[in-house]
Every structure is written in C-alpha cells, then in structure tokens.
PDB file of all heavy atoms in Angstrom:
ATOM      1  N   GLY A   5      23.267  15.878  -4.589  1.00  0.00           N
ATOM      2  CA  GLY A   5      23.863  16.801  -3.668  1.00  0.00           C
ATOM      3  C   GLY A   5      25.103  16.288  -3.002  1.00  0.00           C
ATOM      4  O   GLY A   5      26.011  15.830  -3.710  1.00  0.00           O
ATOM      5  N   ALA A   6      25.125  16.253  -1.680  1.00  0.00           N
ATOM      6  CA  ALA A   6      26.349  15.745  -0.992  1.00  0.00           C
ATOM      7  C   ALA A   6      26.323  14.206  -0.796  1.00  0.00           C
ATOM      8  O   ALA A   6      27.258  13.639  -0.283  1.00  0.00           O
ATOM      9  CB  ALA A   6      26.378  16.433   0.403  1.00  0.00           C
ATOM     10  N   LEU A   7      25.226  13.559  -1.241  1.00  0.00           N
ATOM     11  CA  LEU A   7      25.088  12.118  -1.092  1.00  0.00           C
ATOM     12  C   LEU A   7      25.888  11.463  -2.203  1.00  0.00           C
ATOM     13  O   LEU A   7      25.676  11.673  -3.380  1.00  0.00           O
ATOM     14  CB  LEU A   7      23.692  11.690  -1.223  1.00  0.00           C
ATOM     15  CG  LEU A   7      22.736  12.085  -0.040  1.00  0.00           C
ATOM     16  CD1 LEU A   7      21.285  11.718  -0.379  1.00  0.00           C
ATOM     17  CD2 LEU A   7      23.128  11.438   1.272  1.00  0.00           C
ATOM     18  N   THR A   8      26.891  10.647  -1.779  1.00  0.00           N
ATOM     19  CA  THR A   8      27.675   9.887  -2.723  1.00  0.00           C
ATOM     20  C   THR A   8      26.790   8.766  -3.393  1.00  0.00           C
ATOM     21  O   THR A   8      25.682   8.489  -2.837  1.00  0.00           O
ATOM     22  CB  THR A   8      28.857   9.241  -2.057  1.00  0.00           C
ATOM     23  OG1 THR A   8      28.368   8.293  -1.097  1.00  0.00           O
ATOM     24  CG2 THR A   8      29.750  10.284  -1.369  1.00  0.00           C
ATOM     25  N   PRO A   9      27.205   8.189  -4.479  1.00  0.00           N
ATOM     26  CA  PRO A   9      26.443   7.099  -5.061  1.00  0.00           C
ATOM     27  C   PRO A   9      26.156   6.017  -4.040  1.00  0.00           C
ATOM     28  O   PRO A   9      24.993   5.494  -3.993  1.00  0.00           O
ATOM     29  CB  PRO A   9      27.344   6.610  -6.194  1.00  0.00           C
ATOM     30  CG  PRO A   9      28.088   7.803  -6.614  1.00  0.00           C
ATOM     31  CD  PRO A   9      28.348   8.572  -5.352  1.00  0.00           C
ATOM     32  N   SER A  10      27.079   5.615  -3.232  1.00  0.00           N
ATOM     33  CA  SER A  10      26.844   4.523  -2.279  1.00  0.00           C
ATOM     34  C   SER A  10      25.859   4.958  -1.207  1.00  0.00           C
ATOM     35  O   SER A  10      24.990   4.168  -0.795  1.00  0.00           O
ATOM     36  CB  SER A  10      28.129   4.041  -1.668  1.00  0.00           C
ATOM     37  OG  SER A  10      28.737   5.086  -0.923  1.00  0.00           O
ATOM     38  N   ALA A  11      25.995   6.212  -0.729  1.00  0.00           N
ATOM     39  CA  ALA A  11      25.088   6.706   0.315  1.00  0.00           C
ATOM     40  C   ALA A  11      23.667   6.814  -0.264  1.00  0.00           C
ATOM     41  O   ALA A  11      22.655   6.573   0.405  1.00  0.00           O
ATOM     42  CB  ALA A  11      25.561   8.056   0.835  1.00  0.00           C
ATOM     43  N   LEU A  12      23.567   7.243  -1.515  1.00  0.00           N
ATOM     44  CA  LEU A  12      22.233   7.358  -2.175  1.00  0.00           C
ATOM     45  C   LEU A  12      21.526   5.969  -2.283  1.00  0.00           C
ATOM     46  O   LEU A  12      20.387   5.845  -1.977  1.00  0.00           O
ATOM     47  CB  LEU A  12      22.393   7.980  -3.581  1.00  0.00           C
ATOM     48  CG  LEU A  12      21.135   8.103  -4.436  1.00  0.00           C
ATOM     49  CD1 LEU A  12      20.059   8.898  -3.677  1.00  0.00           C
ATOM     50  CD2 LEU A  12      21.459   8.714  -5.783  1.00  0.00           C
ATOM     51  N   VAL A  13      22.313   4.960  -2.667  1.00  0.00           N
ATOM     52  CA  VAL A  13      21.744   3.623  -2.793  1.00  0.00           C
ATOM     53  C   VAL A  13      21.354   3.074  -1.389  1.00  0.00           C
ATOM     54  O   VAL A  13      20.286   2.472  -1.230  1.00  0.00           O
ATOM     55  CB  VAL A  13      22.754   2.687  -3.450  1.00  0.00           C
ATOM     56  CG1 VAL A  13      22.338   1.212  -3.341  1.00  0.00           C
ATOM     57  CG2 VAL A  13      22.885   3.055  -4.918  1.00  0.00           C
ATOM     58  N   ASP A  14      22.179   3.340  -0.384  1.00  0.00           N
ATOM     59  CA  ASP A  14      21.850   2.925   0.994  1.00  0.00           C
ATOM     60  C   ASP A  14      20.584   3.587   1.441  1.00  0.00           C
ATOM     61  O   ASP A  14      19.691   2.962   2.092  1.00  0.00           O
ATOM     62  CB  ASP A  14      22.958   3.284   1.940  1.00  0.00           C
ATOM     63  CG  ASP A  14      24.208   2.442   1.797  1.00  0.00           C
ATOM     64  OD1 ASP A  14      24.077   1.364   1.140  1.00  0.00           O
ATOM     65  OD2 ASP A  14      25.296   2.826   2.241  1.00  0.00           O
ATOM     66  N   LEU A  15      20.426   4.858   1.103  1.00  0.00           N
ATOM     67  CA  LEU A  15      19.166   5.570   1.528  1.00  0.00           C
ATOM     68  C   LEU A  15      17.968   4.999   0.808  1.00  0.00           C
ATOM     69  O   LEU A  15      16.881   4.907   1.413  1.00  0.00           O
ATOM     70  CB  LEU A  15      19.312   7.106   1.221  1.00  0.00           C
ATOM     71  CG  LEU A  15      18.113   7.970   1.596  1.00  0.00           C
ATOM     72  CD1 LEU A  15      17.747   7.818   3.048  1.00  0.00           C
ATOM     73  CD2 LEU A  15      18.474   9.445   1.312  1.00  0.00           C
ATOM     74  N   MET A  16      18.095   4.665  -0.491  1.00  0.00           N
ATOM     75  CA  MET A  16      16.962   4.066  -1.238  1.00  0.00           C
ATOM     76  C   MET A  16      16.606   2.725  -0.569  1.00  0.00           C
ATOM     77  O   MET A  16      15.382   2.428  -0.423  1.00  0.00           O
ATOM     78  CB  MET A  16      17.371   3.840  -2.686  1.00  0.00           C
ATOM     79  CG  MET A  16      17.441   5.111  -3.514  1.00  0.00           C
ATOM     80  SD  MET A  16      17.672   4.666  -5.271  1.00  0.00           S
ATOM     81  CE  MET A  16      17.522   6.301  -6.009  1.00  0.00           C
ATOM     82  N   ARG A  17      17.574   1.926  -0.153  1.00  0.00           N
ATOM     83  CA  ARG A  17      17.215   0.631   0.459  1.00  0.00           C
ATOM     84  C   ARG A  17      16.579   0.880   1.798  1.00  0.00           C
ATOM     85  O   ARG A  17      15.603   0.176   2.183  1.00  0.00           O
ATOM     86  CB  ARG A  17      18.522  -0.219   0.607  1.00  0.00           C
ATOM     87  CG  ARG A  17      19.009  -0.709  -0.698  1.00  0.00           C
ATOM     88  CD  ARG A  17      20.047  -1.864  -0.478  1.00  0.00           C
ATOM     89  NE  ARG A  17      20.410  -2.490  -1.751  1.00  0.00           N
ATOM     90  CZ  ARG A  17      21.550  -2.295  -2.396  1.00  0.00           C
ATOM     91  NH1 ARG A  17      22.485  -1.525  -1.869  1.00  0.00           N
ATOM     92  NH2 ARG A  17      21.781  -2.931  -3.502  1.00  0.00           N
ATOM     93  N   ALA A  18      17.054   1.830   2.554  1.00  0.00           N
ATOM     94  CA  ALA A  18      16.464   2.121   3.885  1.00  0.00           C
ATOM     95  C   ALA A  18      15.031   2.641   3.732  1.00  0.00           C
ATOM     96  O   ALA A  18      14.114   2.267   4.473  1.00  0.00           O
ATOM     97  CB  ALA A  18      17.307   3.153   4.596  1.00  0.00           C
ATOM     98  N   TYR A  19      14.785   3.453   2.701  1.00  0.00           N
ATOM     99  CA  TYR A  19      13.442   3.954   2.400  1.00  0.00           C
ATOM    100  C   TYR A  19      12.504   2.788   2.167  1.00  0.00           C
ATOM    101  O   TYR A  19      11.357   2.752   2.677  1.00  0.00           O
ATOM    102  CB  TYR A  19      13.529   4.883   1.237  1.00  0.00           C
ATOM    103  CG  TYR A  19      12.161   5.224   0.595  1.00  0.00           C
ATOM    104  CD1 TYR A  19      11.390   6.200   1.118  1.00  0.00           C
ATOM    105  CD2 TYR A  19      11.749   4.600  -0.583  1.00  0.00           C
ATOM    106  CE1 TYR A  19      10.161   6.512   0.561  1.00  0.00           C
ATOM    107  CE2 TYR A  19      10.534   4.899  -1.171  1.00  0.00           C
ATOM    108  CZ  TYR A  19       9.714   5.832  -0.589  1.00  0.00           C
ATOM    109  OH  TYR A  19       8.517   6.146  -1.156  1.00  0.00           O
ATOM    110  N   GLU A  20      12.923   1.806   1.329  1.00  0.00           N
ATOM    111  CA  GLU A  20      12.059   0.658   1.073  1.00  0.00           C
ATOM    112  C   GLU A  20      11.765  -0.163   2.297  1.00  0.00           C
ATOM    113  O   GLU A  20      10.672  -0.673   2.520  1.00  0.00           O
ATOM    114  CB  GLU A  20      12.727  -0.229   0.006  1.00  0.00           C
ATOM    115  CG  GLU A  20      12.855   0.449  -1.364  1.00  0.00           C
ATOM    116  CD  GLU A  20      11.542   0.851  -2.001  1.00  0.00           C
ATOM    117  OE1 GLU A  20      10.517   0.194  -1.782  1.00  0.00           O
ATOM    118  OE2 GLU A  20      11.521   1.816  -2.715  1.00  0.00           O
ATOM    119  N   ARG A  21      12.822  -0.299   3.181  1.00  0.00           N
ATOM    120  CA  ARG A  21      12.622  -1.032   4.455  1.00  0.00           C
ATOM    121  C   ARG A  21      11.582  -0.380   5.324  1.00  0.00           C
ATOM    122  O   ARG A  21      10.675  -1.012   5.863  1.00  0.00           O
ATOM    123  CB  ARG A  21      13.906  -1.233   5.211  1.00  0.00           C
ATOM    124  CG  ARG A  21      14.898  -2.184   4.645  1.00  0.00           C
ATOM    125  CD  ARG A  21      15.988  -2.569   5.593  1.00  0.00           C
ATOM    126  NE  ARG A  21      16.812  -1.417   6.011  1.00  0.00           N
ATOM    127  CZ  ARG A  21      17.874  -0.996   5.355  1.00  0.00           C
ATOM    128  NH1 ARG A  21      18.303  -1.639   4.262  1.00  0.00           N
ATOM    129  NH2 ARG A  21      18.540   0.027   5.761  1.00  0.00           N
ATOM    130  N   VAL A  22      11.723   0.919   5.510  1.00  0.00           N
ATOM    131  CA  VAL A  22      10.755   1.675   6.379  1.00  0.00           C
ATOM    132  C   VAL A  22       9.339   1.595   5.800  1.00  0.00           C
ATOM    133  O   VAL A  22       8.359   1.362   6.498  1.00  0.00           O
ATOM    134  CB  VAL A  22      11.187   3.134   6.537  1.00  0.00           C
ATOM    135  CG1 VAL A  22      10.134   3.948   7.235  1.00  0.00           C
ATOM    136  CG2 VAL A  22      12.515   3.232   7.216  1.00  0.00           C
ATOM    137  N   LYS A  23       9.272   1.684   4.537  1.00  0.00           N
ATOM    138  CA  LYS A  23       7.962   1.637   3.815  1.00  0.00           C
ATOM    139  C   LYS A  23       7.308   0.255   4.022  1.00  0.00           C
ATOM    140  O   LYS A  23       6.118   0.176   4.321  1.00  0.00           O
ATOM    141  CB  LYS A  23       8.132   1.974   2.342  1.00  0.00           C
ATOM    142  CG  LYS A  23       6.865   2.038   1.507  1.00  0.00           C
ATOM    143  CD  LYS A  23       7.045   2.795   0.206  1.00  0.00           C
ATOM    144  CE  LYS A  23       8.229   2.219  -0.585  1.00  0.00           C
ATOM    145  NZ  LYS A  23       7.884   0.836  -1.040  1.00  0.00           N
ATOM    146  N   ASP A  24       8.135  -0.768   3.861  1.00  0.00           N
ATOM    147  CA  ASP A  24       7.589  -2.159   4.034  1.00  0.00           C
ATOM    148  C   ASP A  24       7.154  -2.391   5.504  1.00  0.00           C
ATOM    149  O   ASP A  24       6.137  -3.041   5.759  1.00  0.00           O
ATOM    150  CB  ASP A  24       8.635  -3.183   3.637  1.00  0.00           C
ATOM    151  CG  ASP A  24       8.865  -3.214   2.132  1.00  0.00           C
ATOM    152  OD1 ASP A  24       8.019  -2.623   1.389  1.00  0.00           O
ATOM    153  OD2 ASP A  24       9.910  -3.747   1.646  1.00  0.00           O
ATOM    154  N   GLU A  25       7.959  -1.900   6.451  1.00  0.00           N
ATOM    155  CA  GLU A  25       7.582  -2.075   7.867  1.00  0.00           C
ATOM    156  C   GLU A  25       6.266  -1.399   8.166  1.00  0.00           C
ATOM    157  O   GLU A  25       5.538  -1.900   9.007  1.00  0.00           O
ATOM    158  CB  GLU A  25       8.689  -1.486   8.732  1.00  0.00           C
ATOM    159  CG  GLU A  25       9.979  -2.256   8.754  1.00  0.00           C
ATOM    160  CD  GLU A  25      11.172  -1.450   9.382  1.00  0.00           C
ATOM    161  OE1 GLU A  25      10.919  -0.302   9.805  1.00  0.00           O
ATOM    162  OE2 GLU A  25      12.263  -1.961   9.372  1.00  0.00           O
ATOM    163  N   ARG A  26       5.966  -0.305   7.507  1.00  0.00           N
ATOM    164  CA  ARG A  26       4.721   0.388   7.740  1.00  0.00           C
ATOM    165  C   ARG A  26       3.573  -0.155   6.848  1.00  0.00           C
ATOM    166  O   ARG A  26       2.450   0.387   6.891  1.00  0.00           O
ATOM    167  CB  ARG A  26       4.901   1.869   7.476  1.00  0.00           C
ATOM    168  CG  ARG A  26       5.924   2.549   8.374  1.00  0.00           C
ATOM    169  CD  ARG A  26       6.023   4.048   8.155  1.00  0.00           C
ATOM    170  NE  ARG A  26       6.980   4.681   9.036  1.00  0.00           N
ATOM    171  CZ  ARG A  26       7.193   5.958   9.077  1.00  0.00           C
ATOM    172  NH1 ARG A  26       6.474   6.783   8.301  1.00  0.00           N
ATOM    173  NH2 ARG A  26       8.074   6.495   9.943  1.00  0.00           N
ATOM    174  N   ARG A  27       3.856  -1.142   6.030  1.00  0.00           N
ATOM    175  CA  ARG A  27       2.848  -1.716   5.090  1.00  0.00           C
ATOM    176  C   ARG A  27       2.256  -0.558   4.257  1.00  0.00           C
ATOM    177  O   ARG A  27       1.061  -0.408   4.167  1.00  0.00           O
ATOM    178  CB  ARG A  27       1.738  -2.413   5.804  1.00  0.00           C
ATOM    179  CG  ARG A  27       2.180  -3.728   6.496  1.00  0.00           C
ATOM    180  CD  ARG A  27       1.001  -4.618   6.871  1.00  0.00           C
ATOM    181  NE  ARG A  27       0.408  -5.211   5.679  1.00  0.00           N
ATOM    182  CZ  ARG A  27      -0.809  -4.843   5.229  1.00  0.00           C
ATOM    183  NH1 ARG A  27      -1.538  -3.877   5.748  1.00  0.00           N
ATOM    184  NH2 ARG A  27      -1.289  -5.448   4.155  1.00  0.00           N
ATOM    185  N   GLN A  28       3.145   0.135   3.550  1.00  0.00           N
ATOM    186  CA  GLN A  28       2.716   1.223   2.718  1.00  0.00           C
ATOM    187  C   GLN A  28       3.274   1.010   1.269  1.00  0.00           C
ATOM    188  O   GLN A  28       4.254   0.337   1.021  1.00  0.00           O
ATOM    189  CB  GLN A  28       3.204   2.582   3.264  1.00  0.00           C
ATOM    190  CG  GLN A  28       2.501   2.992   4.532  1.00  0.00           C
ATOM    191  CD  GLN A  28       2.928   4.405   4.940  1.00  0.00           C
ATOM    192  OE1 GLN A  28       4.095   4.689   5.083  1.00  0.00           O
ATOM    193  NE2 GLN A  28       1.935   5.268   5.154  1.00  0.00           N
ATOM    194  N   LEU A  29       2.559   1.665   0.337  1.00  0.00           N
ATOM    195  CA  LEU A  29       3.002   1.740  -1.037  1.00  0.00           C
ATOM    196  C   LEU A  29       3.140   3.224  -1.411  1.00  0.00           C
ATOM    197  O   LEU A  29       2.362   4.065  -0.999  1.00  0.00           O
ATOM    198  CB  LEU A  29       1.961   1.115  -2.009  1.00  0.00           C
ATOM    199  CG  LEU A  29       1.564  -0.355  -1.828  1.00  0.00           C
ATOM    200  CD1 LEU A  29       0.491  -0.736  -2.796  1.00  0.00           C
ATOM    201  CD2 LEU A  29       2.813  -1.236  -2.078  1.00  0.00           C
ATOM    202  N   ASP A  30       4.150   3.523  -2.209  1.00  0.00           N
ATOM    203  CA  ASP A  30       4.260   4.880  -2.671  1.00  0.00           C
ATOM    204  C   ASP A  30       3.607   4.949  -4.056  1.00  0.00           C
ATOM    205  O   ASP A  30       3.037   3.933  -4.574  1.00  0.00           O
ATOM    206  CB  ASP A  30       5.690   5.427  -2.746  1.00  0.00           C
ATOM    207  CG  ASP A  30       6.611   4.638  -3.667  1.00  0.00           C
ATOM    208  OD1 ASP A  30       6.117   4.006  -4.587  1.00  0.00           O
ATOM    209  OD2 ASP A  30       7.835   4.658  -3.397  1.00  0.00           O
ATOM    210  N   PHE A  31       3.557   6.141  -4.665  1.00  0.00           N
ATOM    211  CA  PHE A  31       2.825   6.367  -5.865  1.00  0.00           C
ATOM    212  C   PHE A  31       3.217   5.404  -6.962  1.00  0.00           C
ATOM    213  O   PHE A  31       2.411   4.798  -7.680  1.00  0.00           O
ATOM    214  CB  PHE A  31       3.095   7.811  -6.337  1.00  0.00           C
ATOM    215  CG  PHE A  31       2.032   8.445  -7.193  1.00  0.00           C
ATOM    216  CD1 PHE A  31       0.702   8.434  -6.824  1.00  0.00           C
ATOM    217  CD2 PHE A  31       2.389   8.979  -8.428  1.00  0.00           C
ATOM    218  CE1 PHE A  31      -0.269   8.999  -7.602  1.00  0.00           C
ATOM    219  CE2 PHE A  31       1.402   9.556  -9.225  1.00  0.00           C
ATOM    220  CZ  PHE A  31       0.090   9.564  -8.824  1.00  0.00           C
ATOM    221  N   GLU A  32       4.507   5.177  -7.128  1.00  0.00           N
ATOM    222  CA  GLU A  32       5.024   4.251  -8.206  1.00  0.00           C
ATOM    223  C   GLU A  32       4.794   2.849  -7.827  1.00  0.00           C
ATOM    224  O   GLU A  32       4.541   2.006  -8.736  1.00  0.00           O
ATOM    225  CB  GLU A  32       6.509   4.523  -8.454  1.00  0.00           C
ATOM    226  CG  GLU A  32       6.818   5.896  -8.990  1.00  0.00           C
ATOM    227  CD  GLU A  32       6.554   7.019  -8.051  1.00  0.00           C
ATOM    228  OE1 GLU A  32       6.872   6.851  -6.852  1.00  0.00           O
ATOM    229  OE2 GLU A  32       5.978   8.055  -8.422  1.00  0.00           O
ATOM    230  N   ASP A  33       4.799   2.471  -6.567  1.00  0.00           N
ATOM    231  CA  ASP A  33       4.531   1.142  -6.148  1.00  0.00           C
ATOM    232  C   ASP A  33       3.136   0.656  -6.563  1.00  0.00           C
ATOM    233  O   ASP A  33       2.828  -0.514  -6.745  1.00  0.00           O
ATOM    234  CB  ASP A  33       4.601   0.993  -4.631  1.00  0.00           C
ATOM    235  CG  ASP A  33       6.045   1.043  -4.107  1.00  0.00           C
ATOM    236  OD1 ASP A  33       6.938   0.757  -4.911  1.00  0.00           O
ATOM    237  OD2 ASP A  33       6.223   1.409  -2.964  1.00  0.00           O
ATOM    238  N   VAL A  34       2.198   1.629  -6.636  1.00  0.00           N
ATOM    239  CA  VAL A  34       0.818   1.316  -7.005  1.00  0.00           C
ATOM    240  C   VAL A  34       0.851   0.616  -8.372  1.00  0.00           C
ATOM    241  O   VAL A  34       0.183  -0.405  -8.632  1.00  0.00           O
ATOM    242  CB  VAL A  34      -0.028   2.569  -7.028  1.00  0.00           C
ATOM    243  CG1 VAL A  34      -1.414   2.263  -7.669  1.00  0.00           C
ATOM    244  CG2 VAL A  34      -0.248   3.065  -5.600  1.00  0.00           C
ATOM    245  N   LEU A  35       1.597   1.180  -9.313  1.00  0.00           N
ATOM    246  CA  LEU A  35       1.670   0.595 -10.674  1.00  0.00           C
ATOM    247  C   LEU A  35       2.434  -0.738 -10.614  1.00  0.00           C
ATOM    248  O   LEU A  35       2.044  -1.697 -11.262  1.00  0.00           O
ATOM    249  CB  LEU A  35       2.366   1.560 -11.640  1.00  0.00           C
ATOM    250  CG  LEU A  35       1.738   2.939 -11.857  1.00  0.00           C
ATOM    251  CD1 LEU A  35       2.482   3.683 -12.944  1.00  0.00           C
ATOM    252  CD2 LEU A  35       0.283   2.788 -12.209  1.00  0.00           C
TER     253      LEU A  35
END
C-alpha cells in the first residue's frame, strides 16, 4: 500500500518487539 519498503521493515521490527514484550508467539512462531 502506502508503506514504503523501509516503513514496512520498521513496522515488522516493531511488531516483533511488541510481541516479545507481551511474551506471545504468532502462528508462524509456533513452528
């Protein structure tokens, strides 16, 4: 969409940080 490649990568990293802070795994993390 409107997310540039750098913004998309930043969002992916932020997603992983939030997930780790909450001690959670997503569907793919399970594998």
Side-chain angles (χ1 to χ4, degrees):
L7 293 174
T8 64
S10 61
L12 176 57
V13 168
D14 288 344
L15 181 53
M16 286 187 174
R17 290 197 171 104
Y19 167 80
E20 295 299 328
R21 285 195 300 271
V22 172
K23 184 162 54 66
D24 290 344
E25 289 167 1
R26 298 183 180 186
R27 292 195 72 252
Q28 289 186 306
L29 299 175
D30 63 25
F31 204 55
E32 294 68 42
D33 288 336
V34 170
L35 302 185

